Amino acid sequence: MAGDGSVLRVRTRLAPAWLRRASDVLFYGYVGLMVVAGAWGVVFGRFDQSRLLGLDLDRLAPRTEANVMTQYRFLRAIELGFGLFAILYKEPIYQKRAFNRLFLFTMTAGVAGRGLSLRLDGTPSPIMYVFGGWEVLGVGVIYAYTRTTLED
């Protein structure tokens, strides 16, 4: 570790400029949407359920409606928190292996969840494919770019 007398080694291999730019666009697009969608879903969850998911909450039993909304707001708050974490810790995510692994694992887990849902739950709306495609591309590009930025 730096500061304890050891030498901090950073990879000297440079990534192409286009890969850095692509990584930044995908990273900030992903985490920016997490922050905005997370905050929006916490505050305007009922509207979100209706417009984004096409769910008419009024057709549910009151207890079921409350269960759906409390879980939805919770998940959106987690999404908001992860997005803020990623923005605040972008440098460690791009330089420190543990942060990088956690970030990429979380992104990959989201992609895997979407994939499992396609298999088990059927075909979602086109916007869900857009989100999933952005996430798959983001995992691949951010992984490729950070192979050149991580400390040894």
Side-chain angles (χ1 to χ4, degrees), residues 9 12 15 27 41 46-47 56 64 67 72 74 86 89 100 122 128:
R9 294 186 322 212
T12 57
F27 177 87
R46 295 186 65 79
F47 180 82
D56 182 1
T64 303
N67 287 341
Y72 187 77
F74 166 79
Y89 292 96
N100 183 260
M128 296 303 165

Side-chain angles (χ1 to χ4, degrees), residues 27-28 31-32 35 82-91 93:
F27 177 87
Y28 284 114
V31 299
V35 168
F82 183 68
L84 290 173
F85 167 84
I87 289 170
L88 292 172
Y89 292 96
K90 182 184 187 247
E91 188 173 317
I93 288 167

Side-chain angles (χ1 to χ4, degrees), residues 14 18 70 79 138:
L14 294 177
W18 69 265
T70 191
E79 182 178 28

Side-chain angles (χ1 to χ4, degrees), residues 1 7-13 95-97 147-152:
M1 290 212 139
V7 176
L8 182 65
R9 294 186 322 212
V10 178
R11 295 180 190 254
T12 57
R13 181 175 55 144
Q95 293 178 355
K96 302 206 178 291
R97 195 166 305 281
R147 296 315 91 189
T148 68
T149 63
L150 292 176
E151 297 169 350
D152 285 336

Side-chain angles (χ1 to χ4, degrees), residues 20-92:
R20 181 188 52 77
R21 284 191 301 275
S23 177
D24 282 347
V25 166
L26 291 163
F27 177 87
Y28 284 114
Y30 175 71
V31 299
L33 184 59
M34 291 188 83
V35 168
V36 170
W40 174 269
V42 168
V43 177
F44 301 108
R46 295 186 65 79
F47 180 82
D48 213 26
Q49 290 283 336
S50 171
R51 296 294 188 257
L52 180 63
L53 303 178
L55 178 63
D56 182 1
L57 291 167
D58 294 331
R59 297 187 62 152
L60 302 176
R63 170 79 42 98
T64 303
E65 178 183 343
N67 287 341
V68 166
M69 288 311 303
T70 191
Q71 188 64 14
Y72 187 77
R73 291 181 203 276
F74 166 79
L75 292 171
R76 288 300 202 164
I78 295 297
E79 182 178 28
L80 168 62
F82 183 68
L84 290 173
F85 167 84
I87 289 170
L88 292 172
Y89 292 96
K90 182 184 187 247
E91 188 173 317

Side-chain angles (χ1 to χ4, degrees), residues 126-147:
I127 192 68
M128 296 303 165
Y129 286 103
V130 171
F131 295 152
W134 189 277
E135 292 158 0
V136 167
L137 195 57
V139 167
V141 170
I142 293 167
Y143 175 83
Y145 177 67
T146 57
R147 296 315 91 189

Side-chain angles (χ1 to χ4, degrees), residues 79-125:
E79 182 178 28
L80 168 62
F82 183 68
L84 290 173
F85 167 84
I87 289 170
L88 292 172
Y89 292 96
K90 182 184 187 247
E91 188 173 317
I93 288 167
Y94 275 64
Q95 293 178 355
K96 302 206 178 291
R97 195 166 305 281
F99 280 85
N100 183 260
R101 285 180 176 164
L102 175 62
F103 179 79
L104 289 173
F105 169 80
T106 304
M107 269 190 94
T108 303
V111 169
R114 288 190 191 278
L116 182 63
S117 184
L118 279 172
R119 178 91 171 140
L120 299 177
D121 305 321
T123 303
S125 65

